[in-house]
Amino acid sequence: MSSWLLKLCSGLLRLCLPLHVADALIGDLYEEYNTKRLDGGVNKAQMWLLSQTARSIWPFLLSTSYTLRAIMMLQGLFVFMVLAIAIMYLSNMDDASRLSVEFWPQWMAGKPHQLFLEQDFWQFAFARELHESNIQMWLNPLSMAYAGLAWMLIKRFEKQIKPSLIVHLFFVAGLMALPYLWGVLIFILFQPEIRLTGPIVVSMWFPILYLVLPLSWSLANSVSYRLGLS
Amino acid sequence: MPKDELQLGEFEQYVLLAVLSLKKGAYGASIRQQLHEAISRDVSLGALYATIERLEKRGLVSSNLDGATAKRGGKAKRMIEVTAIGKKALQRSRQQLTTMWGLAQLRGITYV
């Protein structure tokens, strides 16, 4: 039993910890386990072993650059996927009445993000619209130009100003949010007809779509470097 | 080296001091036991190694592998030593604490 438990704990640790740390740590675990087994009995030693294994995994899961990068990239990927599906959903929508009656007034008030609160979007978008798109739909020259410019500005800002992490995050978030706020302003100031709102929403969402993945990667690297993890 | 690099957290100081007190015999299990016996801190080996990794990346400790035995399942010990920079960082932390204690006592705070 104890041999089986030791192997299980060692396997878990080797799976979750960097290998150069895992080997030495497992050796320490064996050494202390054997001492505790002789001093206090097998049951006590096994309880200690399980508790040490559980407590030893999480500091590395939380602190390694790999995990941090993975979490930040997953967040970016989630935003990217939701936005991409929303774009496909709206591009292929043939019946506007599928959305709730409250949605369109909100849309006209410059709140297209209300789509993410719509039941129909979450229920059907994934299954229905996923394959109905072509490559040209994803190319928006104006948004691409903005995304390129924003990327260059961010890189120059990083290099020349060397901002603190908080300032860096605000700068990146600000540049990503700018087209969105600009679009909201156009909705409020000009109150365009509904047939003209599509391109405005495109200019609000596409820059985020283009920027979110490279910026997530860049930010993940920057955060792990600053936390001394890379 | 920038001064911020020498700034130490409370647990980092404990680990460095434990390593110094163990002289040539500092490795994961012995440091853990030392912390338990000296200041009743029951730390996990994972938390300890995460701190050692961080300290090593900052150049405050160095390590080498040694002493694989059957009792350790054939795994080598990771022997830890405090570097000159690590000792400097500890001295700086001690000076800072002494200064702050001195200030507190000047203000008449003697009950702690």
Side-chain angles (χ1 to χ4, degrees):
Chain A
M1 163 74 180
S2 61
S3 159
W4 172 81
L5 197 64
L6 266 172
K7 278 181 185 162
L8 177 77
C9 292
S10 305
L12 260 176
L13 289 165
R14 284 181 72 86
L15 202 67
C16 300
L17 271 53
L19 275 184
H20 70 283
V21 173
D23 275 350
L25 192 149
I26 291 166
D28 290 334
L29 209 61
Y30 268 73
E31 185 182 318
E32 280 205 69
Y33 171 79
N34 283 326
T35 309
K36 284 188 190 299
R37 192 166 54 97
L38 293 173
D39 290 349
V42 175
N43 288 344
K44 212 173 167 184
Q46 283 177 349
M47 288 305 291
W48 176 86
L49 180 68
L50 284 172
S51 123
Q52 273 295 320
T53 305
R55 288 168 62 203
S56 290
I57 288 170
W58 74 266
F60 280 93
L61 285 184
L62 287 179
S63 71
T64 54
S65 63
Y66 172 79
T67 311
L68 188 72
R69 281 195 181 101
I71 290 170
M72 291 185 77
M73 281 309 290
L74 277 177
Q75 282 177 346
L77 198 63
F78 177 74
V79 173
F80 179 86
M81 292 292 288
V82 170
L83 262 183
I85 289 165
I87 289 164
M88 281 194 275
Y89 176 81
L90 289 172
S91 308
N92 293 288
M93 191 165 62
D94 47 12
D95 181 7
S97 65
R98 284 210 297 248
L99 293 164
S100 68
V101 285
E102 294 88 14
F103 173 71
W104 293 109
Q106 297 274 10
W107 172 278
M108 294 305 292
K111 296 174 183 170
H113 51 264
Q114 290 290 327
L115 179 70
F116 305 123
L117 302 178
E118 287 290 310
Q119 204 178 3
D120 188 71
F121 171 70
W122 290 108
Q123 273 183 350
F124 299 109
F126 289 79
R128 194 172 54 212
E129 319 288 5
L130 211 55
H131 305 294
E132 298 171 26
S133 70
N134 58 61
I135 187 75
Q136 276 148 352
M137 192 184 96
W138 299 104
L139 305 175
N140 182 264
L142 197 65
S143 302
M144 286 168 105
Y146 178 83
L149 186 70
W151 177 260
M152 281 195 308
L153 275 175
I154 288 164
K155 288 290 141 192
R156 181 163 283 196
F157 186 65
E158 279 173 10
K159 216 175 219 176
Q160 292 186 349
I161 311 286
K162 294 188 173 63
S164 69
L165 188 57
I166 296 293
V167 173
H168 189 189
L169 287 172
F170 270 105
F171 188 71
V172 168
L175 277 176
M176 277 180 80
L178 200 63
Y180 207 95
L181 297 174
W182 177 248
V184 171
L185 207 65
I186 290 176
F187 269 104
I188 293 169
L189 292 178
F190 299 106
Q191 297 175 339
E193 291 175 43
I194 194 157
R195 68 188 173 82
L196 300 175
T197 55
I200 302 171
V201 174
V202 163
S203 69
M204 292 163 81
W205 283 358
F206 268 72
I208 300 174
L209 189 79
Y210 294 146
L211 282 169
V212 72
L213 286 179
L215 281 182
S216 297
W217 178 249
S218 167
L219 273 180
N221 284 333
S222 175
V223 170
S224 30
Y225 173 74
R226 283 154 196 271
L227 295 178
L229 302 172
S230 58
Chain B
M1 168 168 281
K3 280 189 173 177
D4 283 354
E5 294 286 308
L6 293 177
Q7 207 62 257
L8 294 171
E10 183 200 9
F11 188 62
E12 289 172 339
Q13 289 181 50
Y14 287 145
V15 172
L16 287 173
L17 289 168
V19 173
L20 280 178
S21 69
L22 287 162
K23 295 181 181 168
K24 297 282 179 194
Y27 64 99
S30 69
I31 300 169
R32 210 187 81 79
Q33 279 163 9
Q34 180 83 324
L35 290 171
H36 186 57
E37 284 164 18
I39 54 170
S40 305
R41 285 281 289 259
D42 183 22
V43 297
S44 72
L45 284 164
L48 187 59
Y49 272 93
T51 305
I52 290 168
E53 281 284 289
R54 202 166 53 241
L55 291 171
E56 191 161 22
K57 274 181 188 158
R58 291 166 61 194
L60 305 178
V61 298
S62 62
S63 68
N64 62 298
L65 295 177
D66 186 30
T69 59
K71 195 186 173 189
R72 293 178 54 82
K75 309 280 183 198
K77 288 177 185 171
R78 185 170 169 188
M79 307 303 296
I80 314 293
E81 274 186 271
V82 181
T83 62
I85 302 171
K87 285 174 188 165
K88 197 173 164 189
L90 267 175
Q91 278 167 357
R92 190 165 182 264
S93 295
R94 187 180 185 173
Q95 276 167 4
Q96 287 173 335
L97 271 176
T98 309
T99 305
M100 293 312 291
W101 273 102
L103 275 178
Q105 279 164 356
L106 272 178
R107 301 279 186 280
I109 302 167
T110 54
Y111 51 82
V112 283

